[in-house]
């Protein structure tokens, strides 16, 4: 069964600190892995998208890693800001259909305190 | 910022009413999607479209219907709303099946 599991479910950190969010998946055949940021009551916004051959991709203070062999990904946030408070969703796309079906994790709810 | 728009942002209606949630994109994307999301839960695909005159049901069974008469427009309709339809509805589009998906801001629907 194709699944995406994220941990931790929630996380509280102080402003300026770093944090790492985890994503494990069983989606096969794999096409790409995406990290989205979703503010409360808003639609998800893409942070990174990585294919099988990419190990690391950065977007400002966000750095995503991918280990396609172990089917794990992480999202590292550096020097957190209050505006980083949001849900971070790991999404994996399969290439087994013409739709390129997306499988969503439940997200990690990050809260940054001043 | 993505050029995909949903209206209304919030909607509170009574049971039995017919409603249409609007979704429009100006990126010329062929593929469009509707997702349903409950608080703290993952997004579930309820409808998708490959292009004009193409609509398919998604993974999560839904009593809603969709239409795709124009590339840029993908409305979702509930003929008779019920409290079980209370949820957030997210519209998305992409240029291709394996490319980035852009999401609208969502419609928070409450049926009382």
């Amino acid at each position: 069964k194709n699944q995406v599991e994220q941990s931790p479910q929630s996380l509280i950190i102080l402003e300026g600190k770093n944090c790492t969010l985890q994503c494990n998946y069983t989606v096969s055949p794999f096409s790409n892995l995406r990290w989205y940021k979703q503010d409360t009551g808003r639609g998800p916004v893409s942070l990174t998208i990585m294919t099988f051959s990419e190990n690391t991709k950065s977007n400002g203070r966000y750095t995503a890693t991918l280990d396609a062999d172990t089917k794990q990904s992480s999202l590292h946030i550096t020097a957190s800001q209050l505006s980083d408070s949001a849900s971070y969703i790991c999404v994996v796309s399969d290439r087994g259909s013409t739709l390129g079906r997306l499988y969503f994790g439940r997200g990690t709810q990050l809260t940054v305190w001043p | 910022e993505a050029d995909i728009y949903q209206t209304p942002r919030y909607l509170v209606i009574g049971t039995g009413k017919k409603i249409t949630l609007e979704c429009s994109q100006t990126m010329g994307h062929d593929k469009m999607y509707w997702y349903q999301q409950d608080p703290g839960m993952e997004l579930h695909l309820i409808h998708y479209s490959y292009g004009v005159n193409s609509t398919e049901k998604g993974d999560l069974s839904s009593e809603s219907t969709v239409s795709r008469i124009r590339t840029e427009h993908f409305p979702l309709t509930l003929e008779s709303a019920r409290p079980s339809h209370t949820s957030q509805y997210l519209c998305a589009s992409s240029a291709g099946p394996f490319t980035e998906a852009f999401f609208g801001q969502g419609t928070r629907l409450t049926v009382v």
Side-chain angles (χ1 to χ4, degrees):
Chain A
K1 181 180 177 182
N2 290 320
Q3 286 185 310
V4 178
E5 302 286 345
Q6 291 187 244
S7 62
Q9 183 176 350
S10 62
L11 181 63
I12 299 174
I13 62 173
L14 295 177
E15 186 179 15
K17 298 297 186 182
N18 304 334
C19 67
T20 301
L21 315 180
Q22 301 291 342
C23 174
N24 296 332
Y25 63 92
T26 59
V27 177
S28 180
F30 173 86
S31 175
N32 58 62
L33 184 144
R34 311 147 189 231
W35 282 95
Y36 282 86
K37 177 186 179 186
Q38 185 176 24
D39 293 316
T40 301
R42 303 260 179 179
V45 175
S46 179
L47 295 175
T48 64
I49 179 169
M50 289 186 292
T51 60
F52 184 89
S53 59
E54 296 175 296
N55 300 120
T56 303
K57 183 166 278 190
S58 292
N59 178 1
R61 294 179 297 102
Y62 302 102
T63 300
T65 65
L66 172 64
D67 186 334
D69 292 330
T70 61
K71 298 187 176 181
Q72 296 179 326
S73 175
S74 66
L75 180 69
H76 187 74
I77 304 175
T78 303
S80 61
Q81 300 175 358
L82 299 179
S83 59
D84 291 333
S85 294
S87 178
Y88 291 84
I89 304 173
C90 177
V91 184
V92 181
S93 172
D94 79 9
R95 55 179 174 83
S97 68
T98 55
L99 176 64
R101 191 172 298 278
L102 300 181
Y103 295 89
F104 291 80
R106 293 189 175 183
T108 292
Q109 184 65 48
L110 175 66
T111 304
V112 181
W113 282 2
Chain B
E1 196 163 310
D3 295 322
I4 180 165
Y5 309 99
Q6 291 184 242
T7 58
R9 287 291 316 282
Y10 304 94
L11 180 61
V12 180
I13 60 166
T15 298
K17 299 292 185 183
K18 177 181 179 179
I19 60 165
T20 296
L21 308 185
E22 302 288 350
C23 176
S24 295
Q25 51 95 6
T26 59
M27 296 173 281
H29 289 165
D30 284 328
K31 291 177 172 51
M32 295 190 73
Y33 317 82
W34 276 102
Y35 291 91
Q36 186 174 338
Q37 184 183 32
D38 292 321
M41 302 297 286
E42 63 268 48
L43 279 71
H44 290 285
L45 181 67
I46 52 174
H47 297 283
Y48 60 96
S49 168
Y50 287 111
V52 172
N53 294 326
S54 154
T55 61
E56 303 286 346
K57 289 192 178 294
D59 304 318
L60 183 66
S61 175
S62 174
E63 294 167 348
S64 59
T65 60
V66 293
S67 63
R68 190 88 183 274
I69 299 173
R70 304 197 315 264
T71 298
E72 62 271 21
H73 197 212
F74 191 40
L76 180 147
T77 298
L78 274 168
E79 291 292 334
S80 180
R82 293 206 300 270
S84 61
H85 296 140
T86 294
S87 188
Q88 172 153 285
Y89 293 84
L90 290 160
C91 179
S93 73
S94 66
F98 309 114
T99 60
E100 183 176 349
F102 296 90
F103 286 83
Q105 296 277 41
T107 294
R108 170 70 64 185
L109 173 66
T110 303
V111 184
V112 297

